[in-house]
Every structure is written in structure tokens, then in C-alpha cells.
Amino acid sequence: MTAAATGAFITNDIIVFGLIAATLGVIFWTSGSNNALLKKFYSFVPALLLCYFIPGVYNTFGLIDGETTKLYNPIARDVFLPAALVLLTLSIDLKGIIGLGWKMLAMYVAAVLSIMLGAVVAFQVMTWVHPETMAGATWGGMAALAGSWIGGGANMLAMKEIFEVDATTFGQFAVVDVGVGYVWMAVLIFFASRAPALDKHSGADTTALDELRDRVASYQAQHARIPVLGDLMVMGGVAFGTVALAHGVAGPLSQWFAANVSWSASVSLDKPFVWVVLLATFIGLGLSFTRARQLEGVGASKWGSMFLYFLIACIGMQMDLLALLEKPWLFALGVIWIGVHIVLLWLVGKLLRVPFFYFAIASQSNIGGPASAPVLATAFHPALAPVGVLLGTLGYAVGTGAAYMVGIALRAMAGAG
């Protein structure tokens, strides 16, 4: 279907891009204003939240069509995302991230297990409450959604193929994915600015986080300088050259794994996009051990963050805020599922007395994956973005296997095999 056939008021992607850029500009301009009313407004509503929701409003009321625009795929997803990963990871403090300790990994594992358990609980509860919703191939749609909520889009598509989920069911759960998962992301973004107060109230030990932020801030201050054109050109060359290299290698590499490694599909290594994310991340990580790390002094992480803001706006403009009204019980299913995840992960976090960041990033690195976990991490502090990158990427490795186990369990519960 062409953009012109969608009924959107604006169908030209160049104009849509300008609208999104202007919207982000207005949000950040007003968020930095000294106007008392605006300052009070932004003390309750984070700017990042508006970057997500306002494009969703544009899409919901037909100003643009987020489904057909190419701004998200391929521009934001395939160009801006890997470029951001390079620019954010080339200044990574790997020692500091390792210093976050075993509790960070424990929270990630707890997030995976809580999502798996949440699927089973939600299926059973909805079977009691509204059995009509759970009839037919709903279990298969849930298996696909588990792939997305533990790994990402590639894992979701893998589950669709493995369990032969029909297009209608898959589309319904794609709406649940956006409507429930991204709303949860918005909630986490809202509380990110309140993390210090939450940590103080819970008595969490934030020493490792504080040391990581301080080290990055010190490095930035030590190497900061006013960039000249040459600095920006080198930065662009490193970022987009790596993007080109990643895409150039990802296709043949994924094909080789698909043809020669029997288990590659189970961890999504037969998907080019997975390799783009992995290559961009690890090339950026490798650059952090070279002089390229000095690009942080001329704003590498700021440019990376800008690309991520465009990405989150492009994610937001795919939301149809009214679409879930057509399938309210599927929405309830998603809310129960993610509710189990939230409660169980919160209990583990309370038991381990971890900072709110650990809870938020462990959840979002699963529910949102590598595309949005760095965005949430940046809402806490730009120095923490690589943590989101690494944990989000980890989801690709475990997402397919974990979701497959969920699908097997739900299929048995549904009596479908």
C-alpha cells in the first residue's frame, strides 16, 4: 500500500521528517526555557516523554502515517540506531560497567524469567475471565509477543514463523506490543528523573552508578573542546562508515550462519539486522580502546543521543492510541502479562536493594530491546547508554530460545499440541 492510499494528511516523508525535527526542536527549546509555567510543566512531564507521545498523536489523528513512512525503517532503525550505538559506545567505560556488579545481571535474568512466567499467568487468568479472547491462535500471538518482549523484532518474527502465526493474529499482538510495551517505557521515562528520590527512599546503594557517572563526566571535562569542522567530519566518517561496514558485512554473515550453523536461527544470527546491531556495538566498543575515544571531547555522545531522540520519535509515530479500543481484551491480556513482570522484578529489586536504574534498564532491555533501552538509559544519564546497548543486545541471544519455551507451554495450555 502506498503512502498516498493511507489517508494521512502528510504523505511526503521529507515533510514528515521536517515535522518531527521541528517538533523535537520545540520540545527542547521550551524545556530549556526560563518561563515559570514551562519549568513547572517540565518538572512533571519529561521532555523525552513528549518526544515519544506527540508523534503518536500525529499518527493517531491522521496527520501522518507511521506505518508506511520510511523514516523508522530504514532511516531511524537501520542508519540512526547503529550510528548512535557507535557514538555512544566509543566512549564507553567498560571497567565502570563491569563495576556495576552481579546485581545488574541478576536483575536482567529476573526480568527474562518474570516475562516468561507472566505469559503463563496472563494466559490462565484471561482463560478464566474472558475465554473468547483466548480461543483459536491467541497462544501463537503470545509466543510471538514473548519473542519481542524478551529479545526484539527479529525474535518476534522468528516466533511467527516457528509457530505459523497468521497475519491477523500477529498484527493484533503487534498493536499490543506497541500499546502496552511502549506505554510502560513512557512510565519508566517519567520516573527516570525521579530516580534519586526513589533510591533514597529505598535505601539503594548507588555508589557504583555514581562512580561511573563521575568518571565519564570527568573524562568529558578533561577532553572537551570546541569542535571544528574537521572534528565533525571525522566523527561523521567514523559513525556512518561503521554503519556502512556493518550493513555490508551483516548480509553475507547472516546468510553464512543460516546455511552453515544449525542453531543460528534459535539465537537470530540468521537475521541481518541482528548483525548490524552487534557489529555497530562491538566496533564502537573496540574504538573505545583507541584514540577515537577522544571524539567524546567534541560531543560524540551528544550526537549519538540526538540520533536516539529521532529514533524514539519515529517509534512513537507508529502508535495508534485508539487502535487498542478495537481489541480491549487483548489489551487487558498485555496489561496482566506486563503487570506480573513488573511486580516480580520489583520484588527482586527490593530484595537486592538495587537502584531504580537497575530495575528500569533490566525491564526495558527486554520489553523494548536494543532500539529503546539506550534511550531509557540516556534519560538517567548519557554515560549509562552503553549499559542499555549491551543488555538490549543480549536479548537477541536469549529471546528466541526463551520465547520458544513460552510458546511450547502456551500451546500445551491451549490444547493445540
Side-chain angles (χ1 to χ4, degrees), residues 92-101 208-209 211-212 215 358 387:
I92 193 172
D93 184 351
L94 190 59
K95 180 180 178 180
I97 292 177
I98 294 174
L100 294 179
L209 273 177
E211 288 178 351
L212 176 59
R215 263 202 307 273
Y358 285 33
V387 182

Side-chain angles (χ1 to χ4, degrees), residues 102-103 107 202 343-354:
W102 65 270
K103 290 184 178 180
M107 290 296 289
S202 66
V343 170
L344 292 179
L345 188 61
W346 177 80
L347 288 173
V348 174
K350 188 173 181 62
L351 178 66
L352 298 179
R353 296 171 67 89
V354 299

Side-chain angles (χ1 to χ4, degrees), residues 271-354:
K271 307 295 183 183
F273 180 69
V274 174
W275 282 106
V276 169
V277 171
L278 290 173
L279 289 168
T281 300
F282 287 110
I283 290 174
L285 182 61
L287 290 173
S288 71
F289 295 98
T290 72
R291 292 180 60 187
R293 191 184 183 199
Q294 295 179 7
L295 288 173
E296 176 58 26
V298 292
S301 64
K302 292 182 176 63
W303 281 86
S305 297
M306 183 183 72
F307 291 144
L308 285 182
Y309 276 105
F310 270 101
L311 173 65
I312 197 62
C314 290
I315 291 174
M317 72 182 188
Q318 297 177 79
M319 283 192 66
D320 181 353
L321 302 176
L322 303 177
L324 283 175
L325 296 179
E326 301 173 5
K327 294 285 184 179
W329 288 103
L330 282 184
F331 179 78
L333 172 68
V335 170
I336 294 171
W337 186 348
I338 205 168
V340 172
H341 158 69
I342 293 168
V343 170
L344 292 179
L345 188 61
W346 177 80
L347 288 173
V348 174
K350 188 173 181 62
L351 178 66
L352 298 179
R353 296 171 67 89
V354 299

